[in-house]
Amino acid sequence: MQTTKKDIRSLSKEDLRNFFVSQGDKSFRGNQVYEWLWSKGAHHFDDMTNLSKETRNMLEAHFVINHIKVDTMQHSNDGTIKNAVRLHDGLVVESVLIPTETRTTACVSSQVGCSLDCNFCATARLKRMRNLAPDEIYDQVVAIDQESRLYHNRPLSNIVFMGMGEPLMNYNNVMKAIDMITSDEGLGMSPKRITVSTSGVSKMIKKMADDEVKFKLAVSLHSAVEEIRNHIMPFTKSFPLPELREALEYWYRKTKSKITYEYVVWGGINDDKKSIDALVKFCKYVPCKVNLIEYNPIDDGEFQQAAPEAIDAYIKALENAGIVAKVRRSRGKDIDAACGQLANKS
């Protein structure tokens, strides 16, 4: 049965070289197959035209290529594209292409569903079914790069891990995917153009610092008042603000990389002076910038957009404190495709 075959992309280049030797072939065949799988993005063994038919049949007998399939692609009036991505086992995740005048950004998923329980997030209402494999994460980026070239006449410039799932709860696979995305044998993208967004898993932030990663870090903070943060994101009781602060200070000491705080302002929840003052104070611990995010309501419940005056009050207080802040407007509203843990999932 096909389902018993191993996904060939779970093999390293050395594994592939050794496999060909075990089949009585030359080890360099492994290099050829590796190039087809990653830099050339082959979906099928028959695509590997510099291999003999006999070799391709042999690969077909031993392995599968569990490539993703973009099931549906929705185009927004503002140029945003939302992909419903079907995985080999029939599960579906989302990825989004977000264009501006100067760049195109891929927003990619790292889990099917989510491990966390953020009350404002539609994805959190889906139980986590499984982690994505490195190749499934990589494939999302390849697909969006192709869409960027086709619809916007330029290659993909940036990647954010801000789709479905908490990336740091799928740490090893996310790191392997980034290694391949940044490798010359993969997409060759600069790690400085990649941002991993976490809801604040402190111990994994420290691990990233110890692993000397080169990409950028964003934290979905949403409140610097402990009780409000715990209400918005109940799981954060396990990662209290003093612990998060310590992890972020550790991150900056090790990496010297500025942190971005993602911050939604909701009416009647965190739109008061106490919340503003707390955020300004928290921002002074580590060099950072703040993205204030326009919220897409997922229902008629308690989480609703704040008044423009509340956003203005945040901007004024942050700028007066010398902290860079900007408002990130929701994209793709007409196709329901705001990027991030905030995505209004269909």
Side-chain angles (χ1 to χ4, degrees):
M1 287 175 57
Q2 190 180 49
T3 53
T4 64
K5 295 179 191 175
K6 190 168 190 174
D7 185 345
I8 193 169
R9 288 190 296 173
S10 66
L11 274 60
S12 67
K13 186 194 284 186
E14 194 59 34
D15 291 335
L16 284 169
R17 287 170 61 87
N18 291 337
F19 170 76
F20 276 100
V21 171
S22 75
Q23 298 295 310
D25 206 334
K26 299 284 193 291
S27 61
F28 77 86
R29 293 274 179 240
N31 299 1
Q32 291 177 307
V33 171
Y34 194 81
E35 183 180 10
W36 275 111
L37 293 171
W38 296 105
S39 61
K40 293 182 179 178
H43 287 214
H44 309 283
F45 294 114
D46 277 344
D47 296 338
M48 302 178 182
T49 51
N50 62 348
L51 302 181
S52 69
K53 181 67 173 174
E54 181 184 25
T55 300
R56 284 179 269 160
N57 288 342
M58 183 267 291
L59 289 171
E60 189 83 48
H62 284 85
F63 302 109
V64 291
I65 304 174
N66 285 330
H67 220 283
I68 67 163
K69 178 177 181 291
V70 176
D71 248 11
T72 57
M73 189 190 304
Q74 292 177 269
H75 293 256
S76 167
N77 293 330
D78 64 17
T80 300
I81 299 173
K82 182 175 78 167
N83 294 321
V85 175
R86 188 167 298 278
L87 310 175
H88 70 94
D89 55 4
L91 296 173
V92 176
V93 295
E94 288 184 356
S95 61
V96 182
L97 182 155
I98 304 167
T100 66
E101 288 184 7
T102 57
R103 64 176 64 178
T104 51
T105 299
C107 175
V108 298
S109 295
S110 56
Q111 296 179 311
V112 184
C114 188
S115 309
L116 307 181
D117 55 4
C118 304
N119 284 322
F120 60 87
C121 176
T123 305
R125 300 182 181 187
L126 308 172
K127 66 177 183 177
R128 187 190 73 81
M129 289 174 246
R130 68 171 177 86
N131 289 332
L132 294 187
D135 52 276
E136 293 171 323
I137 297 168
Y138 181 88
D139 285 351
Q140 293 175 71
V141 177
V142 172
I144 291 178
D145 179 50
Q146 292 169 347
E147 292 165 6
S148 179
R149 293 169 190 270
L150 179 62
Y151 296 107
H152 296 284
N153 298 311
R154 58 182 187 263
L156 181 68
S157 60
N158 296 78
I159 302 169
V160 292
F161 283 79
M162 206 180 287
M164 294 172 72
E166 164 56 62
L168 300 193
M169 295 291 195
N170 186 17
Y171 186 83
N172 291 337
N173 288 351
V174 167
M175 295 303 122
K176 286 177 184 174
I178 291 174
D179 283 346
M180 187 52 66
I181 290 164
T182 57
S183 167
D184 289 338
E185 296 180 313
L187 299 180
M189 287 189 71
S190 167
K192 297 186 186 305
R193 294 184 172 274
I194 299 174
T195 300
V196 171
S197 178
T198 174
S199 295
V201 186
S202 310
K203 63 182 179 181
M204 301 311 292
I205 291 171
K206 286 185 173 181
K207 177 165 175 51
M208 284 197 299
D210 287 337
D211 288 345
E212 299 181 345
V213 302
K214 303 300 182 189
F215 51 74
K216 296 177 182 176
L217 173 65
V219 176
S220 295
L221 188 62
H222 308 315
S223 181
V225 178
E226 195 75 83
E227 61 268 27
I228 297 176
R229 183 168 175 260
N230 291 166
H231 171 66
I232 295 168
M233 303 184 289
F235 79 93
T236 59
K237 292 168 187 171
S238 302
F239 305 104
L241 285 168
E243 185 182 302
L244 177 60
R245 171 189 171 182
E246 182 198 355
L248 295 174
E249 288 173 337
Y250 185 83
W251 162 272
Y252 188 76
R253 279 199 308 273
K254 296 276 282 191
T255 68
K256 295 295 182 283
S257 176
K258 185 182 289 190
I259 292 152
T260 298
Y261 293 122
E262 307 286 354
Y263 196 101
V264 183
V265 186
W266 292 282
I269 293 176
N270 62 350
D271 59 346
D272 58 336
K273 186 175 186 303
K274 177 183 176 182
S275 293
I276 295 173
D277 292 345
L279 177 60
V280 170
K281 182 180 178 182
F282 196 84
C283 284
K284 290 181 178 178
Y285 297 137
V286 183
C288 65
K289 63 179 181 178
V290 178
N291 281 337
L292 295 164
I293 304 170
E294 182 181 70
Y295 183 62
N296 264 351
I298 59 176
D299 53 31
D300 296 324
E302 68 170 314
F303 290 94
Q304 299 297 321
Q305 275 189 18
E309 294 78 14
I311 304 290
D312 292 343
Y314 266 99
I315 291 283
K316 183 177 180 182
L318 289 163
E319 289 182 345
N320 285 345
I323 298 156
V324 174
K326 65 178 182 178
V327 178
R328 200 174 79 197
R329 302 296 179 190
S330 178
R331 300 295 301 271
K333 288 182 179 180
D334 53 321
I335 58 166
D336 208 20
C339 182
Q341 287 108 347
L342 317 171
N344 188 357
K345 308 294 181 192
S346 57

